[in-house]
Amino acid sequence: MTQRPTLPPLGALKAPSLSWNAASPYSEAFGDVYFSRENGRAETEHVFIHANHLPERFSHWRETRPFVIGETGFGTGLNMLCAWACFERHALRHARLHLISTEKYPLTREELAQALEAWPELASQTASLLTQWPAAVSGIHRLHLTDRVTLDLHFGDTCERLALLDGQVDAWFLDGFAPAKNPDMWQPELFHSMAARSRPEATFATFTCAGIVKRGLKAAGFRWQKVPGYGRKREMLAGRIDTPPLDGRRQQTPWFTPPAVKPAAHIVVIGAGIAGTSVAAALARRGLRVSMIEKQAIGAGGSGNQQGALYVKLAAQTNDQSRVYFSGLLYSRRWLENLDPAHRFWHDSGVIQLALSEKETRRQQRFLGNHSLPNSLLEGKDGHSLEKLVGMEVTAESALFYPQAGWVKPRKLCEHLLSRPGIRYRQGEVVRLNESPQGWLIHLASGETLEADQVVVANAQLANHFEQTREVPLQAVRGQVSTLALPENVEGPSSVVCAGGYVPPAVDGVLTFGASFMPNNATTQVEDQDHLSNIDELRRTLPALATALETAGVDLTPANLGGRAAVRAASPDKSPYAGPVPKADAWQQDYALLRKDATRVPAVAGQHYPGLWISAAHGSRGLASAPLCAEVIASRICDEPMPLEAPLVDHLHPGRRIISALIRAQ
Ligand code: SAM
């Protein structure tokens, strides 16, 4: 049986050790050039673009899904930028392009800029790439280069990354340094993974004619032929795979087999919080028509506070949940910068997680010992440096600092997301969903019935109130934030400070702090008791601020505070749900054998309600999880590569609790 591919460690990648040879980058480690400055672009066009017949294929591309190119070794990005430019030149107006590229030794932004200066005709593509260029950390980094063009950078070793890829490729750029200089990459697994992640009739092209490449491609099922190489290189290889092999990775987890792709033109999204509005925007970007239906108002639930923290809490030892949240944080950060470069509804003030107990100090030390992340993303801080970051005295001796995280005005964000073309907002309470021959009938409390091809349920703790979703376990968690108008001579913290709760920098002279945490409570009245627990937490987190307020004559009592209470939803394992809704009764029957013996996995694909999806259980970390979960759902609906590694997509599956309950019942 095929093993679940293992996820490599979460951490920083090695630098590429470059020198500059006649102003083009040269790898000291591999003893090879990235491209030649005289004819690099022409070589790319010849070897990768034309040998894959991209101009013709782009000009005929009429599918609703994007055309997908996969590359081994992103390097300076020249190949991908040329493919993008070719697409802009030849593709029809509604066509979309999805680029996937692996890279084990990412260049820095400065190195990339220096290398790409050689191609002024690609300046606009280069600028977009540089703005979003991620830190050199293992994982998938999704960049929206334009509304039509997406780039997924799979940072890490090519063989490992392709084994983890959940997606299919139409054309491969088989790059990477020459086989003789980089034998570790040109392994049989590379060709087998390429084959397994290929669409039928996917093509490939490569600059090399080495025997190991010819044999590897053939053994994996590709047909190849020698074609004239560029310039002095006499020959190169190009070819295709007619019938790719089946994806064997599903043998261990057949329940997570994605449902068949279903045509979609109109999608109803239920719930206008961060989960629903981010899904709506992700679908609208892909050209789908979206109707957003909300029972109360935009951001009426947990996404309606004045400020929310963009933060995550990662386990000391990396686990799937931490990986999802870390990827989510990095994605949200890029996504916000793209949506609102002027920072009208968010701010990258940084987030500090104080260690206020010995236990938390030890946990943070273990975390730092287990992860080698760049300081630009996460750094251990202590003493004086901590006080400088917070802007006041702090009692904690150490903390974790996320420089790129910060705070968001969630309701403004939700409103902005819904303002994009293609989304129609309407108020209404959905009471029932019924399958119909065309898709779904959406029954409203008003007696009206709407029709849609597909439905995304994203209304927090109410998400499992439909017949089809009732087996998706959700817990309501009440949370109240307190607000206080600051006197003129007192300032709030300069970063978001978290301990038990969070205290973001003040906005317009108003300090927000909280939130209370009351599981299994779905009430939304503002309560003095919650204010009192928020005041206690504020005194514990930032005693200097509490003292300054009292010295300035502020009465820190509930009577003096404003507030807002809302209900958030959590799953039993505290990870969000993002994916297709399982037919729970069918899963109970099909996988009943797991109760007796968890090793006997029935070879039956999981049954799902066709065209029914859920994004929920984002708890208090929705700003870090919901936008990436929206991509997970939109990518699946539109038959695109996924923005997370296959095991992490599975980790988010709304049916996971059914399987774990069956296995626990053994
Ligand atoms: N396609 C690139 C371009 O357009 O600039 C040029 C690629 S350069 C010749 C080869 C790239 O492969 C380098 O960036 C190198 O770091 C990367 N590489 C080498 N071995 C790798 C591996 N095992 N996994 C991922 N990337 C690798």
Side-chain angles (χ1 to χ4, degrees), residues 33-360:
V33 287
Y34 283 71
F35 58 74
S36 113
R37 195 173 170 97
E38 298 83 65
N39 52 20
R41 173 130 199 231
E43 184 165 7
T44 289
E45 297 284 345
H46 177 89
V47 174
F48 297 108
I49 308 290
H50 288 284
N52 273 303
H53 314 288
L54 293 187
E56 304 87 294
R57 290 167 83 184
F58 285 160
S59 60
H60 292 119
W61 189 255
R62 286 193 164 74
E63 305 275 331
T64 52
R65 71 170 181 87
F67 186 95
V68 182
I69 298 178
E71 180 185 44
T72 59
F74 184 78
T76 68
L78 174 63
N79 293 343
M80 289 275 129
L81 297 191
C82 288
W84 174 11
C86 172
F87 176 81
E88 296 291 354
R89 217 167 30 249
H90 295 280
L92 300 171
R93 204 159 65 86
H94 294 296
R96 294 185 299 127
L97 176 65
H98 197 112
L99 306 166
I100 293 172
S101 189
T102 63
E103 180 52 61
K104 193 173 179 181
Y105 308 99
L107 273 65
T108 62
R109 182 180 281 123
E110 293 68 31
E111 288 166 341
L112 207 58
Q114 187 178 345
L116 291 171
E117 253 175 30
W119 322 110
E121 68 278 21
L122 296 173
S124 72
Q125 284 92 348
T126 299
S128 177
L129 175 67
L130 292 178
T131 318
Q132 300 186 56
W133 186 244
V137 174
S138 57
I140 303 176
H141 306 272
R142 173 160 290 187
L143 278 52
H144 299 291
L145 297 173
T146 68
D147 271 359
R148 307 204 298 159
V149 183
T150 299
L151 167 65
D152 285 345
L153 290 161
H154 290 234
F155 279 177
D157 179 75
T158 292
C159 292
E160 283 177 354
R161 301 311 315 179
L162 293 187
L164 293 165
L165 168 64
D166 186 336
Q168 290 176 297
V169 168
D170 295 289
W172 291 98
F173 293 1
L174 194 43
D175 205 352
F177 296 118
K181 301 194 170 176
N182 188 14
D184 288 350
M185 191 190 90
W186 302 87
Q187 294 292 321
E189 301 98 276
L190 164 66
F191 306 111
H192 286 294
S193 286
M194 277 173 61
R197 315 284 169 262
S198 288
R199 292 266 175 194
E201 300 191 17
T203 60
F204 80 89
T206 182
F207 60 93
T208 174
C209 263
I212 187 170
V213 178
K214 289 189 283 195
R215 289 191 295 279
L217 284 165
K218 183 160 182 235
F222 286 91
R223 288 189 284 121
W224 54 257
Q225 61 186 73
K226 285 186 185 169
V227 295
Y230 181 78
R232 274 175 290 139
K233 289 185 191 145
R234 217 161 38 89
E235 289 171 326
M236 54 169 272
L237 295 178
R240 66 176 58 230
I241 186 162
D242 297 324
T243 316
L246 290 179
D247 189 345
R249 291 176 306 187
R250 287 280 162 230
Q251 286 171 325
Q252 274 184 330
T253 52
W255 35 85
F256 294 143
T257 307
V261 178
K262 204 174 161 319
H266 175 219
I267 302 200
V268 157
V269 178
I270 304 170
I274 181 67
T277 55
S278 54
V279 168
L283 293 167
R285 185 185 325 105
R286 289 158 168 87
L288 300 177
R289 199 158 54 81
V290 179
S291 297
M292 160 63 72
I293 307 187
E294 161 59 48
K295 184 177 164 186
Q296 286 173 274
I298 300 172
S303 307
N305 292 340
Q306 163 74 352
Q307 280 173 294
L310 171 62
Y311 88 111
V312 295
K313 192 163 181 190
L314 305 175
Q317 190 77 46
T318 317
N319 57 25
D320 287 354
Q321 184 179 69
S322 293
R323 289 174 191 277
V324 167
Y325 273 110
F326 195 62
S327 289
L329 175 68
L330 301 186
Y331 178 76
S332 287
R333 184 56 186 47
R334 275 193 303 279
W335 178 81
L336 285 165
E337 188 72 53
N338 242 338
L339 282 175
D340 179 25
H343 294 195
R344 284 171 299 133
F345 48 72
W346 74 289
H347 204 276
D348 51 351
S349 60
V351 169
I352 292 166
Q353 245 157 36
L354 296 179
L356 290 178
S357 65
E358 271 193 30
K359 188 172 163 218
E360 178 60 9

Side-chain angles (χ1 to χ4, degrees), residues 329-396:
L329 175 68
L330 301 186
Y331 178 76
S332 287
R333 184 56 186 47
R334 275 193 303 279
W335 178 81
L336 285 165
E337 188 72 53
N338 242 338
L339 282 175
D340 179 25
H343 294 195
R344 284 171 299 133
F345 48 72
W346 74 289
H347 204 276
D348 51 351
S349 60
V351 169
I352 292 166
Q353 245 157 36
L354 296 179
L356 290 178
S357 65
E358 271 193 30
K359 188 172 163 218
E360 178 60 9
T361 307
R362 280 199 304 275
R363 200 192 71 81
Q364 292 191 358
Q365 279 163 356
R366 279 207 316 282
F367 176 86
L368 290 168
N370 288 335
H371 296 85
S372 66
L373 290 164
N375 287 349
S376 62
L377 295 183
L378 209 166
E379 199 180 351
K381 290 279 185 191
D382 54 20
H384 189 56
S385 62
L386 201 49
E387 296 197 359
K388 265 178 55 192
L389 286 171
V390 181
M392 65 183 74
E393 198 184 318
V394 280
T395 47

